[in-house]
Amino acid sequence: MEPVNTSFTRLLGITVPVVSPPMALATTTHHAAEATRGGGFGFLGAAFTPPEKLREDLASLRKTYPDLGDKPLPVGVGLIAWMLDADEEAAKAKIDAILDNNVKAFWLAFGTDIHRWIQYARTSPGTARSQHKPLIFVQATSVDEALLAANEWKADVIVAQGTEAGGHGGAHAPSTFTFVSELLAALPPNNAPPILAAGGLANGTQAAAYLTLGAAGVVLGTRFTLTPECPWPPAEHKPVLLAANSGSTVRTLAMDYALGLYGWPEGLNGRGIRNKIYEDLEGGVSHETLRERFAKAAEEGSTEYAVIFSGQGVTLMHEIKPVKEVMEELHADIVRQLRRSQGLLQV
């Protein structure tokens, strides 16, 4: 596999500048490992995973690498910062599990005091015990937040998440293209952390465009849910995603209300498939009724009231295939498009 050479691929020692992100309940250690085995890099979303279960899962994954020794486990783990704030003891236990298992990277998003947890990850007893200090990824939803993470928090990687992204993100975030462009213009050309473009991406052609813009890599979330390894959405939800287009999604907190999940900091919401959950909330239906209808639909296997997070790039996704194959396909498309673009300079 021909490597794509960026500051990000050099930092992680990978060949494909593509990340499968930490999507809570939609990734497993196997899912993350397959993304890395495909040449990119995979994350486990552990926001709802109890500390001991996380520790067990990571230890079990290490056993699948018999020749790894004490080298870093070649996956990352992602946590949601405001949920860490809600239970400090459990939060520290989770981070310690990450550190004790010598995981290669740690992703933080969505909080009012993210820096607190970066400091803990860098100074805790677990860090002293670890053979490797994990690379810190910070997901940002505004240029100001991204610059703070880069300049003050000294994050190793910045994920610039635009409004097109599925799942949770900034309610008023700029488009991914605008966000990445503005951020690159604001950072020094040298000695800045790698910037990853996230939001609305579906294929390698788009990824190549962001690389030529100046991003060091890209993040695709929805594409990696359309894989056999993804445990969520349930199987009946995947046809909904395959049939969707860019106009099928909406930014809202309706899906969180249906799940009974409250606590997102101001300015954050989620993007998912527009369905009866959103329509009922807009029509004045109570949160309690939304939860009841969601629960009933889940029992019946109906998608009418299903929570299906999705980015706008879903319109370009047409099949379900294994994570490793998705990564290899993205790599081939990136290389092909970068080679094709060289022809623009020929006379």
Side-chain angles (χ1 to χ4, degrees):
M1 180 180 286
E2 180 180 355
V4 178
N5 184 22
T6 75
S7 60
F8 179 65
T9 59
R10 293 192 297 272
L11 178 67
L12 271 78
I14 58 178
T15 56
V16 186
V18 174
V19 170
S20 172
M23 299 174 285
L25 306 179
T27 52
T28 63
T29 52
H30 177 62
H31 187 285
E34 286 299 290
T36 302
R37 290 185 177 113
F41 196 77
F43 277 86
L44 166 68
F48 300 102
T49 306
E52 284 309 310
K53 179 65 164 60
L54 176 59
R55 185 178 292 275
E56 292 169 7
D57 287 347
L58 293 174
S60 295
L61 178 61
R62 180 169 284 276
K63 292 177 181 177
T64 68
Y65 293 92
D67 300 324
L68 193 61
D70 60 2
K71 294 179 182 177
L73 194 61
V75 299
V77 178
L79 299 174
I80 295 175
W82 71 263
M83 293 185 181
L84 298 179
D85 295 336
D87 189 337
E88 181 173 340
E89 182 178 351
K92 290 181 177 179
K94 280 190 180 186
I95 296 173
D96 286 343
I98 294 168
L99 297 172
D100 289 345
N101 279 282
N102 200 14
V103 173
K104 194 165 190 177
F106 177 36
W107 176 311
L108 281 164
F110 309 135
T112 57
D113 193 10
I114 290 177
H115 188 223
R116 170 192 182 190
W117 300 111
I118 294 176
Q119 288 180 305
Y120 182 79
R122 286 174 171 167
T123 62
S124 76
T127 303
R129 293 191 299 268
S130 176
Q131 301 288 329
H132 158 82
K133 290 185 178 181
L135 297 169
I136 304 293
F137 286 54
V138 172
Q139 181 176 330
T141 61
S142 71
V143 173
D144 287 344
E145 184 183 17
L147 291 175
L148 184 64
N151 297 329
E152 302 296 330
W153 304 344
K154 304 301 180 184
D156 297 296
V157 178
I158 305 296
V159 180
Q161 185 200 42
T163 188
E164 304 97 321
H168 289 89
H172 306 292
S175 72
T176 307
F177 190 90
T178 298
F179 190 174
V180 173
S181 299
E182 188 175 353
L183 182 56
L184 289 171
L187 288 169
N190 300 312
N191 202 33
I195 304 302
L196 306 185
L201 283 88
N203 55 47
T205 299
Q206 294 169 317
Y210 278 105
L211 294 179
T212 59
L213 180 66
V218 297
V219 178
L220 289 88
T222 306
R223 184 66 193 90
F224 285 104
T225 67
L226 287 168
T227 57
E229 295 91 342
C230 174
W232 185 93
E236 62 268 18
H237 292 186
K238 292 178 181 178
V240 175
L241 289 172
L242 292 174
N245 57 49
S246 58
S248 301
T249 70
V250 63
R251 297 209 71 91
T252 179
L253 282 170
M255 292 167 282
D256 293 283
Y257 299 153
L259 292 168
L261 183 60
Y262 297 85
W264 293 97
E266 184 178 356
L268 297 175
N269 61 14
R271 180 181 291 282
I273 298 297
R274 182 195 303 260
N275 59 17
K276 293 291 289 183
I277 294 175
Y278 173 77
E279 293 172 4
D280 281 359
L281 181 67
E282 291 295 295
V285 170
S286 70
H287 295 189
E288 181 180 2
T289 301
L290 286 181
R291 290 193 294 273
E292 291 172 353
R293 293 177 178 176
F294 165 74
K296 182 180 179 181
E299 289 178 2
E300 298 173 348
S302 169
T303 59
E304 194 172 37
Y305 284 91
V307 172
I308 308 176
F309 290 111
S310 170
Q312 288 185 311
V314 70
T315 191
L316 298 173
M317 301 175 195
H318 307 298
E319 59 184 335
I320 296 170
K321 61 174 56 177
V323 169
K324 188 172 181 286
E325 290 185 23
V326 171
M327 190 66 76
E328 291 169 347
E329 179 181 272
L330 290 169
H331 174 261
D333 288 346
I334 289 170
V335 171
R336 184 182 306 112
Q337 187 63 23
L338 290 176
R339 285 176 174 163
R340 185 179 299 162
S341 65
Q342 292 175 351
L344 296 173
L345 294 176
Q346 295 177 359
V347 294

